[in-house]
Amino acid sequence: EVQLVQSGAEVKKPGESLRISCQGSGDSFTSYWITWVRQMPGKGLEWMGRINPSDSYTNYSPSFHGHVSISVDKSISTAYLQWSSLQASDTAMYFCARQPIGEPFDYWGQGTLVTVSS
Amino acid sequence: DLQMTQSPSTLSASVGDRVTITCRASQSISSWLAWYQQKPGKAPKLLISDVSSLESGVPSRFSGSGSGTDFTLTISSLQPDDFATYYCQHYNTYWTFGQGTKVEMK
């Protein structure tokens, strides 16, 4: 069974850095893109960017490019979403999902809630 | 930029009702259209890909149709488990979601 398991909830202060993770199991981790989606409180889904675990190639939404960074450690089947300086507006639930080539997001992680507050 | 616009934003319905949600793209997206269901506090679940292909395990009361810029998700007979928020998504080049349609109990 394919599973994506995300790291736990985080509470951070503005200006702090953060890295959250998404570990895959049950299938070849390097055969699919891993994508990240943001959901702000009470709002809809926003695609942030994606990474190809086989070569670490990334695509970013223009809305998020330069503010977050996506990386991967394929030796442990784990993708990461990272901020160098959090803002209060980064408070949201973040989901990772598996993205087969040319297909929508078929398996999702359970979500990681990030709260940024002074 | 490609925009995906869903209507209505909220839909009030009763068990057994036929429910239709529409999704309009700001430009032609061929058949690169998916639908997801999301319940509070949960990850979205993929229901339909390629406009009308039901994912494994999705009940047959769900169906999708459309082409080009106009698409619909239909639930033929609403069940208690179907009260949720539904999102359309274009999934080629950029992966843009509609703003969501909340199906609530009338």
Side-chain angles (χ1 to χ4, degrees):
Chain A
E1 181 195 3
V2 174
Q3 279 197 310
L4 295 173
V5 178
Q6 297 185 229
S7 50
E10 302 274 1
V11 179
K12 292 290 189 179
K13 294 185 180 343
E16 291 186 333
S17 63
L18 175 65
R19 188 177 77 168
I20 62 174
S21 66
C22 169
Q23 184 171 38
S25 63
D27 203 344
S28 174
F29 188 72
T30 56
S31 296
Y32 307 90
W33 293 79
I34 296 293
T35 202
W36 288 93
V37 174
R38 183 176 79 173
Q39 187 166 40
M40 299 178 76
K43 302 299 183 183
L45 305 170
E46 301 173 89
W47 178 72
M48 301 176 71
R50 65 176 189 164
I51 190 163
N52 184 336
S54 66
D55 62 8
S56 298
Y57 182 81
T58 53
N59 294 127
Y60 291 94
S61 163
S63 300
F64 294 92
H65 187 69
H67 185 57
V68 298
S69 143
I70 298 172
S71 59
V72 69
D73 184 341
K74 62 183 179 182
S75 70
I76 55 171
S77 300
T78 300
Y80 302 97
L81 180 64
Q82 184 167 344
W83 296 259
S84 59
S85 180
L86 286 160
Q87 303 169 6
S89 57
D90 293 317
T91 294
M93 181 73 83
Y94 293 88
F95 294 100
C96 66
R98 190 182 83 162
Q99 183 184 356
I101 295 171
E103 298 291 336
F105 310 160
D106 58 356
Y107 289 92
W108 293 67
Q110 82 277 19
T112 296
L113 180 62
V114 173
T115 303
V116 184
S117 174
S118 55
Chain B
D1 289 357
L2 176 72
Q3 304 291 327
M4 305 294 291
T5 303
Q6 288 181 235
S7 60
S9 297
T10 306
L11 189 160
S12 298
S14 302
V15 172
D17 283 354
R18 181 180 180 89
V19 166
T20 298
I21 298 168
T22 64
C23 176
R24 174 164 288 175
S26 59
Q27 62 194 66
S28 178
I29 59 171
S30 185
S31 61
W32 305 99
L33 193 282
W35 290 96
Y36 298 84
Q37 176 193 66
Q38 188 182 31
K39 296 182 179 179
K42 299 295 187 182
K45 173 187 175 183
L46 179 62
L47 298 177
I48 289 172
S49 61
D50 294 339
V51 177
S52 59
S53 297
L54 245 60
E55 294 298 301
S56 175
V58 175
S60 59
R61 62 181 179 272
F62 290 91
S63 65
S65 64
S67 64
T69 60
D70 294 309
F71 304 90
T72 60
L73 172 70
T74 300
I75 309 172
S76 59
S77 178
L78 194 67
Q79 298 302 300
D81 192 48
D82 301 338
F83 292 101
T85 299
Y86 294 85
Y87 294 92
C88 64
Q89 181 204 30
H90 168 55
Y91 57 92
N92 189 33
T93 309
Y94 288 109
W95 294 267
T96 309
F97 292 93
Q99 80 278 18
T101 295
K102 183 179 181 181
V103 177
E104 63 178 21
M105 203 173 297
K106 184 185 287 184

